[in-house]
Amino acid sequence: MAHLAQLAALTDELVAAILAISERISYRDSVLRSLRSHTFTRTNQFEVEDRLNGLEERFSVVGRDGLSEALRTRRSAYEAHQNQFTPEVLHFLLELADQPAQKSKLSDLDALIEPEEDAPPPITWRDFAREDGWKEERDIWRSIDYSPGSSDEEEVDRQSEASVESLTTSSSIDDQHRRTAQDLATKSQGIEPLKQAQEDQAWRDASALDGDGRSRKIPISTIQLLREALFMLAGLETSLFDFECNPITRYQLRGVSWDSYKALVTSFSECGRKLAPLRVYVENREQSPLLQVFRACLQKALHHLDLELSLIQTSLVAIKEDVVVSLIGVLGELGPKLAPLYGLADIVRQVQQERNPHAFRYLELLYDAAGIAQLQGSTATYRLLGTIFFDCFQVYLKPIRLWMEEGKLLPGDRTFFISESPAKLPLSQIWKGQFNLLRSPEGKLHAPRFLDPSIHQIFEAGKSIVVLKHMKQHESTKKYRATAEPSMDFATVCPDGFEFAPFSELFGAAFQAWIQSKHHSAAATLRELLFSSYGLFESLDALQHIYLMSDGSMSNSFASSVFRRLDALNNSWQDRFTLTEVAQEAFSTCLDSYRLSANIDPRGLGRSALVARSSVRHSLPFIRLNYRLSWPVQIVVPEEDIQGYQTLFTFQLQTQRALSLLQYPILPSQRGGADMARYYLLRSKLLWFSNTIKTYLTTLVLAPNTARLRADLGDATADVDDMVAAHAAFIARLISESCQGPKLQPIRDAVLDVFDLAIRLEDAHRADSTRREEEAMEVSRLSVMSSPYKASPAKVGRPAKRRRVDEDDDEDEDGEGGKAGGEMARRGGWGDDAGKPYATVLRELRGDFERHLRFVAGGLRGVARASRDEAAAKWDLLAEMLEVGIKE
């Protein structure tokens, strides 16, 4: 099948490249038929091998040993890459060869060697030191001690004086290689600035005890508190705040009450505590690409905050105009800049509190937070969260793009919502079983919530690409592919002027356009191939001819042949070869007969011919017709749908069985008699019931649903999953409306009981007719024997002899048919009717018919009223049709 599919795909490309659209279909079938039945043989691989061996030997003979060795080496390397086309390729090269022993040059092989790229020289730390001047600044990393302690003031003075003295006595080499922080501070302006800096930082280690040993608050200035607060917000270590951003209580702002100071410093501390989760998170290392880009976005946001803090510090250090230092003013200025970061911190804190969150959990929280910020009117927060969301979403789009364009999955990707089955499945099951959507134990999709509306299209687009690759038609999707991929960033999706449009709707519309640019190309190509190259509608027509009996003459030809064998008590109805021949002959004019076959369910093989004929349940349900579909068509029509077709085929065959028995013509010799009126009445009622069921199936179930299926499949917007769902819904409607579902099982059994009544009626009538014929023959024989002009014994016995010969012929032709038929006639019927008077059997049959008819009609009415099923209206209509025959 794979070879035929590849051949069909290549034929389509060839015909499409040469002919116009209107001429492709007619020429394609003829070209494909010619290629399938071509008589050209393949290349003889042994002849090619001999020619290569001879060529290698010839090179050695003429003194071209190097050329011979090169040929031998390449042949050895080529053996690991051989396939079915290797002999053709080698034969083609041999045919192109022109005096290789004289014209070949070994130097030409050098052109096949790829040049090695020169590796760049490694970068060392010595290079960085040379470029950045680290060599001259060896003491640049030494820490500057601003808090020597109150008891070390004299030591500091001595160190300072020694430093000044060392500046005058040290050599130029010491200046370059032994400079300290104090040297750098005093080199240009002397010792006074350094002393001033040390005095300014002395408050950090001031004692919190007074002279009497009682605790006291260390006074600090406004500028000191502001500097420490800005350092704390920047994530640096400070003296006024601990590592958890809580204020240290031994300090107090000079000239301000403790309550006011506590409220003010607590406000700064609260800001730091809200930012702390971001500072901690960016220090972690992440393995998932999605978390890595989220971490990078957080670092970028914190970097912008650090720049803002630096600008505030610059305005207080490099003063260009009069500045009023106000802690409340700085806090108010930082408020709008810190608010967006608070939203990010809440997201980080929420994820850290969850147990085993998925990597895409950040995307869900960013999506929700951006929508809430928009509703609250927080423009800055909305823009920051929206921008970070789209930056992270770009990483999540990569596996989606790879899946929708190439049908591939990234190995080891635990964030994507599609998995591949480790087992290799048949081509017909690739669509349904090869790939699956990942779900949690609770049944929730392993994907962000905001992607739920698009999961189906994403999943189907990738599967379409996989199927097209197996069809060798992947390249044909490029003609449907959009020229440019829609951009998915915050500036494009949420432009200025759309602030009042909900974020979810803006994202949904943009992502749907992005999905459509990928999905339409694969879906359109696969849909076109299913209809044009693989004949989906033609296959459905064939299934309807076989299983739904859409052509009465063909189905009647098959059914009548089976019924003749059952009535003749011939076991050939169980022979699958005979049934296959009968089916192919009956349906040969409307489908490819070589695709059709028949078999018998093993459960029906052990039944005798008499048992098989006695009921529509004992033989017909075991007949199976199989029509081989191409594997792409089996995607739309899977095996479980074929089971539904088989159920409808069996029910229609059972209906046809009852009609065939009741439509036998009545011979003149059978007319008359006291019980014929009852027989005619019962026969007409059974015939009416069977025709009503058949009319209902044909006009109210099969015809409208078949037309609806064609309309659903012909819809230009329907994709493959929609086509699969449409066909599955078609089968489900047929099963439900024809009363074959489990809900209507008792009603279906009652209908089959009525069909069995037709078999009992026909058997009883034949038995009575046989009995009447035997009695008439006996009366005739006795009248002849008592007549004075009686014939000779030989002439009288001659008809009996001929009748015996005919019975023997029937027995030889139909196996046990003659013997069983005679036995049944002598006993007056079959089964429970054996030995009963004919009039009694007729009365029982009529009573059973009236009881079953009332049960079917009443049951359909009750189920139709109690059910909300779409088929309830048709059940009610069938009940109304059957109630016509109920006698009040």
Side-chain angles (χ1 to χ4, degrees), residues 585-626:
E585 182 180 356
F587 298 102
S588 60
T589 59
C590 65
L591 47 87
D592 296 331
S593 58
Y594 66 89
R595 293 176 177 266
L596 182 61
S597 62
N599 57 12
I600 298 295
D601 193 300
R603 294 174 296 176
L605 294 177
R607 301 178 185 272
S608 65
L610 292 174
V611 175
R613 183 194 176 279
S614 63
S615 173
V616 295
R617 293 185 176 92
H618 294 164
S619 56
L620 303 182
F622 303 111
I623 298 177
R624 299 283 189 268
L625 293 184
N626 302 319

Side-chain angles (χ1 to χ4, degrees), residues 21-312:
I21 297 177
S22 60
E23 301 176 350
R24 290 180 184 175
I25 298 177
S26 60
Y27 279 96
R28 173 190 173 275
D29 295 336
S30 60
V31 173
L32 185 60
R33 194 179 304 110
S34 301
L35 292 177
R36 284 179 176 176
S37 59
H38 72 88
T39 57
F40 304 104
T41 58
R42 295 188 59 187
T43 301
N44 189 344
Q45 56 182 353
F46 303 105
E47 181 182 354
V48 173
E49 187 73 17
D50 292 340
R51 291 182 62 181
L52 289 174
N53 292 333
L55 190 59
E56 183 179 336
E57 184 178 356
R58 183 180 178 185
F59 288 157
S60 300
V61 171
V62 298
R64 301 296 301 273
D65 294 333
L67 193 60
S68 177
E69 182 64 26
L71 177 60
R72 185 183 306 109
T73 302
R74 278 150 182 80
R75 287 181 61 189
S76 301
Y78 193 67
E79 289 180 355
H81 306 282
Q82 289 186 359
N83 54 32
Q84 58 181 345
F85 300 108
T86 299
E88 280 78 3
V89 174
L90 296 177
H91 182 264
F92 178 71
L93 295 177
L94 288 173
E95 293 298 325
L96 293 178
D98 182 18
Q99 299 180 1
Q102 290 78 22
K103 297 182 179 181
S104 300
K105 298 179 181 179
L106 283 175
S107 58
D108 295 339
L109 298 176
D110 297 336
L112 301 177
I113 302 176
E114 296 182 0
E116 296 182 358
E117 297 182 359
D118 296 334
I123 300 177
T124 62
W125 286 108
R126 189 182 302 275
D127 299 332
F128 287 109
R130 186 183 302 109
E131 293 179 2
D132 297 342
W134 296 357
K135 188 176 182 181
E136 290 78 13
E137 302 291 341
R138 294 185 177 181
D139 297 330
I140 193 172
W141 300 110
R142 290 190 60 183
S143 300
I144 302 175
D145 188 4
Y146 290 104
S147 56
S150 59
S151 62
D152 298 335
E153 292 180 357
E154 296 180 357
E155 182 66 24
V156 171
D157 293 339
R158 288 195 297 270
Q159 290 179 358
S160 301
E161 294 175 358
S163 299
V164 174
E165 184 178 358
S166 64
L167 290 174
T168 60
T169 59
S170 60
S171 62
S172 58
I173 299 177
D174 292 335
D175 279 341
Q176 295 180 1
H177 299 286
R178 298 185 178 278
R179 289 182 297 177
T180 64
Q182 295 178 352
D183 297 337
L184 296 175
T186 59
K187 183 176 181 180
S188 59
Q189 300 179 0
I191 195 62
E192 294 302 327
L194 178 59
K195 290 183 178 181
Q196 184 64 34
Q198 291 173 345
E199 291 176 1
D200 292 340
Q201 300 299 326
W203 61 272
R204 297 179 184 275
D205 292 325
S207 176
L209 300 177
D210 56 10
D212 298 334
R214 292 176 299 179
S215 62
R216 64 181 180 87
K217 302 296 182 181
I218 301 175
I220 56 176
S221 63
T222 301
I223 193 66
Q224 290 171 343
L225 175 59
L226 178 59
R227 181 178 57 187
E228 292 289 299
L230 294 178
F231 284 172
M232 181 267 297
L233 294 178
L236 302 176
E237 185 179 352
T238 63
S239 298
L240 295 183
F241 302 90
D242 59 14
F243 66 94
E244 292 182 354
C245 301
N246 296 318
I248 298 177
T249 57
R250 64 177 181 173
Y251 298 98
Q252 182 178 352
L253 189 63
R254 185 181 293 109
V256 177
S257 66
W258 170 251
D259 293 334
S260 299
Y261 168 76
K262 183 178 180 181
L264 186 61
V265 76
T266 301
S267 300
F268 281 103
S269 173
E270 186 66 23
C271 295
R273 281 196 296 269
K274 290 181 179 179
L275 295 179
L278 297 181
R279 299 288 183 183
V280 174
Y281 183 81
V282 296
E283 298 298 329
N284 299 330
R285 293 185 177 272
E286 300 291 349
Q287 300 296 330
S288 173
L290 192 60
L291 297 180
Q292 289 176 352
V293 70
F294 179 70
R295 176 173 172 269
C297 291
L298 295 185
Q299 288 179 331
K300 185 178 179 181
L302 291 176
H303 177 67
H304 285 299
L305 174 63
D306 294 341
L307 292 179
E308 295 292 337
L309 297 177
S310 299
L311 291 177
I312 296 176

Side-chain angles (χ1 to χ4, degrees), residues 825-843:
R826 285 190 294 272
R827 294 175 61 184
W830 172 255
D832 296 337
D833 299 333
K836 293 182 181 180
Y838 183 50
T840 303
V841 174
L842 291 178
R843 284 194 299 269

Side-chain angles (χ1 to χ4, degrees), residues 549-594:
M549 299 184 179
S550 59
D551 192 312
S553 62
M554 298 179 186
S555 58
N556 186 64
S557 175
F558 172 76
S560 60
S561 179
V562 176
F563 297 157
R564 281 196 303 269
R565 287 169 169 79
L566 286 174
D567 291 334
L569 303 181
N570 190 345
N571 283 327
S572 62
W573 75 271
Q574 298 180 350
D575 184 18
R576 61 188 181 92
F577 298 104
T578 303
L579 283 179
T580 300
E581 182 180 358
V582 171
Q584 290 180 352
E585 182 180 356
F587 298 102
S588 60
T589 59
C590 65
L591 47 87
D592 296 331
S593 58
Y594 66 89

